[in-house]
Amino acid sequence: MGFVIEVNQLTKRYGGKTAVDNLSFTVRPGHVTGFLGPNGAGKSTTLRMILGLDAPTAGTATVSGVPFRSHPRGLRHVGALLDAQQVHGGRSAASHLSALAVSNGIPRRRVAEVLHEVGLTDVARRRIGGFSLGMKQRLGIATALLGDPPVLIFDEPINGMDPEGVRWVRHLFRRLAAEGRTVFLSSHLMSEMENTADELVVIGQGRLIAAEPLHSFAARSSRIGVVVRTPQSAELVAVLTAAGATVEPDAERLTVTGLPAERIGTLAFDNRILLHELTTRTASLEEAFMRLTADSVEYLAGQPR
Ligand code: ADP
């Protein structure tokens, strides 16, 4: 079975609020798995339960078949970054990592190795308090890598990184997965995951929406529609609806699903309906994700619904 993260009917309630609701999924080695959901969907709560930092109300979360808390090897088994800001600002990056290496029985040489890996060698002696968020993210990733673990868990690791950092971190995650590790990353943005992850777990309001390869999620959810513009829209709607299409009017344009552009053009021609535009369009992965999770967003533009 290897180093699999297994979440089984996991539930977490805070008072009357259900943060994670009967969630089940599996994260396998050799892949970068993106854990996606809008803010408040329950991602951090799930990750904390996987790491044994929060107790489930019901259900289980295991890493390689056992609850993380009962793993004697700690950092050498699972490396995690939950909140890059949670570091002691008065320490240097090198002393922070050295202290962790000592307390986890990890060889000291790993400190220099991981600092090099994340590009922080030059600032290793500087106080962490003066680090940018992007640098703190790099330090958090170094911390996770310190024990050379087969399982890596990161909460919003791309948040706050500059474009160069984003490219670097994507490359790193893919390499770690190619080495056979289990890499699990959360994000509230599909755009961050679509060039990084090859597997997806999508949640909304604590519930599972999808767990599948990114390409099949894309194929299933990026619905193809045809945009049509016509001065005879009432007639065209009647013709297309009779032919089995679904038509959504939007200002002077119609968005048609269920019929290809060629068929729509032919039907219009046969019925002497003039067309000013006929365009096939594919929803972006980001749009598909937004649509799938729209019902589960707690707050839209800061407004309680
Ligand atoms: P995400 O990481 O997807 O943004 P979270 O797991 O942080 O989501 O939060 C899920 C829900 O649980 C939110 O509604 C949040 O307000 C609530 N929540 C998280 N932690 C606590 C807590 N300690 N006490 C009460 N409610 C919490």
Side-chain angles (χ1 to χ4, degrees):
M1 189 180 73
F3 298 99
V4 171
I5 301 170
E6 193 116 46
V7 167
N8 192 12
Q9 298 185 311
L10 196 63
T11 297
K12 179 70 183 182
R13 278 190 283 275
Y14 293 108
K17 159 106 204 160
T18 305
V20 174
D21 193 356
N22 199 29
L23 199 56
S24 300
F25 61 84
T26 303
V27 184
R28 294 195 169 77
H31 297 279
V32 176
T33 303
F35 189 26
L36 272 165
N39 283 325
K43 301 180 298 296
S44 301
T45 305
T46 303
L47 297 182
R48 283 201 304 273
M49 288 192 282
I50 293 171
L51 293 166
L53 302 171
D54 244 343
T57 307
T60 56
T62 58
V63 181
S64 326
V66 288
F68 178 67
R69 236 197 265 262
S70 25
H71 263 287
R73 295 176 62 227
L75 277 185
R76 283 181 289 146
H77 187 71
V78 178
L81 168 59
L82 289 194
D83 184 354
Q85 307 279 18
Q86 291 263 4
V87 278
H88 193 298
R91 279 191 169 166
S92 72
S95 69
H96 169 72
L97 292 169
S98 297
L100 281 172
V102 169
S103 59
N104 283 273
I106 294 164
R108 282 276 191 131
R109 64 171 166 77
R110 284 294 295 158
V111 173
E113 283 174 14
V114 295
L115 283 168
H116 176 73
E117 175 89 87
V118 303
L120 290 180
T121 305
D122 291 347
V123 295
R125 305 269 153 218
R126 292 233 307 256
R127 282 180 64 251
I128 299 166
F131 280 16
S132 66
L133 176 56
M135 288 161 81
K136 284 183 182 160
Q137 297 278 44
R138 285 175 186 254
L139 177 61
I141 292 167
T143 308
L145 293 175
L146 193 63
D148 198 18
V151 179
L152 289 152
I153 296 175
F154 299 101
D155 200 4
E156 300 272 356
I158 297 174
N159 209 1
M161 283 198 171
D162 57 20
E164 196 280 317
V166 172
R167 266 198 306 280
W168 163 76
V169 83
R170 281 186 171 144
H171 185 79
L172 174 70
F173 292 146
R174 288 212 216 99
R175 202 194 74 217
L176 292 166
E179 289 168 359
R181 293 176 217 258
T182 305
V183 183
F184 194 37
L185 318 172
S186 80
S187 177
H188 64 289
L189 296 172
M190 176 59 92
S191 55
E192 286 185 350
M193 285 299 119
E194 64 178 306
N195 297 309
T196 310
D198 55 340
E199 292 281 333
L200 291 182
V201 173
V202 184
I203 66 168
Q205 284 189 354
R207 279 182 230 122
L208 191 72
I209 292 176
E212 61 189 313
L214 182 120
H215 68 81
S216 76
F217 178 84
R220 196 167 55 84
S221 49
S222 58
R223 181 175 50 172
I224 291 169
V226 180
V227 174
V228 189
R229 203 153 50 85
T230 169
Q232 294 161 263
S233 97
E235 287 169 77
L236 185 64
V237 170
V239 168
L240 295 178
T241 309
T246 305
V247 186
E248 280 173 54
D250 173 20
E252 84 270 32
R253 285 189 170 78
L254 306 173
T255 300
V256 185
T257 46
L259 286 182
E262 294 75 10
R263 183 88 186 105
I264 295 167
T266 307
L267 283 168
F269 182 80
D270 289 350
N271 289 278
R272 300 186 55 80
I273 297 169
L274 182 65
L275 297 187
H276 289 162
E277 184 185 340
L278 183 64
T279 317
T280 301
R281 85 179 265 291
T282 318
S284 71
L285 209 49
E286 191 74 48
E287 289 173 275
F289 169 63
M290 300 283 271
R291 199 177 55 240
L292 269 175
T293 56
D295 296 339
S296 67
V297 177
E298 273 186 312
Y299 297 97
L300 289 169
Q303 299 288 316
R305 282 198 299 166

